[in-house]
Amino acid sequence: MVPIMGVDFNITTSDAAYGFLLDVLGFHAGELIMEYLVDCSRNVDIFVERNLLRLAHLDIFDVRFVAYHVTASLDDCEEIKRTGIRDLRYVLSHNTMLSNFLGRGSIQFDIENRTMLVDGNRFNIDYDYFCGRQLRTREEEQLEDIAHRVCYDFCVDGFLTSDDVKRYGTDIHKRPEFISKLIKVSPKAKELDEYWRSNSKPYKVFFYVTADQIHKFTFGLEKNYLPYSACEQEQIKRWMLGWAVDRAFDPCGDLYIYIRDYEYVPPEQIISCEIMDQDE
């Protein structure tokens, strides 16, 4: 059997998921419909078991995983097009639109030393420090949330699929979510939040990444940085088939993608930047 090469795992829409299944399973459209609706009685688990062998020669390292990052852009995504999609630690510590914007509100970050400067006052944002304290002041509780975001929850993320990104619930399509976490420690952050909401445009930035750029827990695997084992690769193939058929034929929930810590999406892996409709 000839190896399956150069596959795009794209389930951003039901049509894209349907196309992926046709490509990797070798079915004609009518055959795929009969296989899932009749032979498998719309049962995802049965479908995966019956068809997993068809992916035996698929190398997961040849797969491009397509997803999109939701952003509220003040510059029509020009910075993203130039530098790629960067993680939070990077954009706070380099000459970026977000770090410069926060600077206008007298908010600066020293990522290396895990401190934050607000109106000339320096605050500790070392998350390990907060984890070691049983009793916290109200100020420390507010800083702990910021510290966790900066120290542990800073990776690039996105949607592999979503019927409504607004259900995410934190207005990521109106302004960077991180700004909202600063409001409790800086009155100026509220003004920055309101300005960004009023002057930005919501975009979906479509991109692709490869398996070695993705956090393993995206696939439901244990988080580690070891090479993918044969067992893990098999589990990823099951995961791909299950989500693809679910997305192709039935409404499904949100599925997120998480890029490994300190990795990013370079400009050459960005597919397109598409402004969101009001109804999205």
Side-chain angles (χ1 to χ4, degrees):
M1 188 177 292
V2 178
I4 304 172
M5 301 291 289
V7 172
D8 281 357
F9 177 73
N10 185 347
I11 60 169
T12 56
T13 66
S14 58
D15 286 345
Y18 191 80
F20 165 77
L21 291 171
L22 292 178
D23 289 343
V24 298
L25 298 179
F27 285 125
H28 296 301
E31 294 173 330
L32 177 58
I33 293 171
M34 286 293 294
E35 170 69 13
Y36 181 63
L37 299 185
V38 179
D39 297 337
C40 298
S41 302
R42 300 184 79 103
N43 187 300
V44 172
D45 293 333
I46 294 175
F47 181 88
V48 171
E49 291 302 325
R50 282 173 57 94
N51 293 284
L52 185 62
L53 190 60
R54 293 175 180 266
L55 298 189
H57 293 271
L58 173 66
D59 186 340
I60 67 162
F61 300 107
D62 288 331
V63 177
R64 303 194 326 170
F65 294 86
V66 177
Y68 58 87
H69 178 76
V70 174
T71 187
S73 178
L74 294 174
D75 68 346
D76 292 315
C77 296
E78 289 302 320
E79 182 174 84
I80 286 177
K81 293 174 186 177
R82 290 195 310 271
T83 65
I85 306 174
R86 297 281 186 165
D87 68 44
L88 180 63
R89 290 170 67 96
Y90 180 94
V91 299
L92 292 177
S93 59
H94 289 75
N95 181 24
T96 65
M97 181 171 294
L98 180 59
S99 65
N100 292 333
F101 187 76
L102 293 177
R104 287 166 49 183
S106 300
I107 303 172
Q108 296 175 301
F109 288 84
D110 183 345
I111 299 298
E112 183 176 353
N113 293 304
R114 299 189 175 191
T115 60
M116 175 178 67
L117 200 65
V118 179
D119 292 325
N121 300 308
R122 190 171 298 275
F123 296 94
N124 178 17
I125 54 168
D126 183 347
Y127 188 66
D128 293 336
Y129 165 80
F130 294 109
C131 289
R133 292 177 62 83
Q134 293 183 340
L135 298 177
R136 301 178 181 85
T137 65
R138 182 179 179 183
E139 180 183 272
E140 286 176 331
E141 290 177 349
Q142 294 168 345
L143 290 170
E144 182 180 5
D145 194 28
I146 297 171
H148 180 267
R149 191 75 171 84
V150 171
C151 296
Y152 286 99
D153 186 20
F154 59 87
C155 71
V156 174
D157 57 22
F159 294 88
L160 284 157
T161 189
S162 175
D163 288 325
D164 182 5
V165 299
K166 295 176 183 177
R167 290 185 309 198
Y168 190 75
T170 56
D171 286 348
I172 54 174
H173 60 296
K174 295 181 179 180
R175 53 90 181 93
E177 181 183 20
F178 185 67
I179 295 179
S180 67
K181 298 185 180 297
L182 302 175
I183 291 176
K184 292 181 180 179
V185 298
S186 171
K188 292 180 181 177
K190 183 172 180 58
E191 297 177 17
L192 298 178
D193 184 276
E194 292 173 352
Y195 178 89
W196 202 300
R197 287 172 179 270
S198 299
N199 292 277
S200 64
K201 298 177 185 176
Y203 275 89
K204 289 181 178 179
V205 182
F206 288 83
F207 64 91
Y208 74 86
V209 287
T210 55
D212 54 4
Q213 292 175 278
I214 302 172
H215 265 306
K216 286 186 177 182
F217 61 80
T218 294
F219 305 114
L221 303 173
E222 181 180 348
K223 180 180 178 179
N224 64 61
Y225 293 94
L226 298 173
Y228 287 97
S229 67
C231 180
E232 287 175 325
Q233 293 180 51
E234 185 83 355
Q235 287 178 266
I236 291 173
K237 292 178 185 180
R238 288 179 176 274
W239 176 92
M240 292 168 65
L241 266 187
W243 273 100
V245 72
D246 201 18
R247 177 59 166 150
F249 288 96
D250 297 293
C252 63
D254 296 345
L255 181 61
Y256 310 111
I257 189 169
Y258 300 95
I259 308 306
R260 293 192 178 194
D261 294 352
Y262 306 106
E263 292 276 352
Y264 76 108
V265 180
E268 60 269 21
Q269 290 179 219
I270 292 175
I271 299 170
S272 64
C273 299
E274 301 180 11
I275 195 163
M276 292 172 57
D277 294 332
Q278 292 296 322
D279 296 334
E280 287 189 273

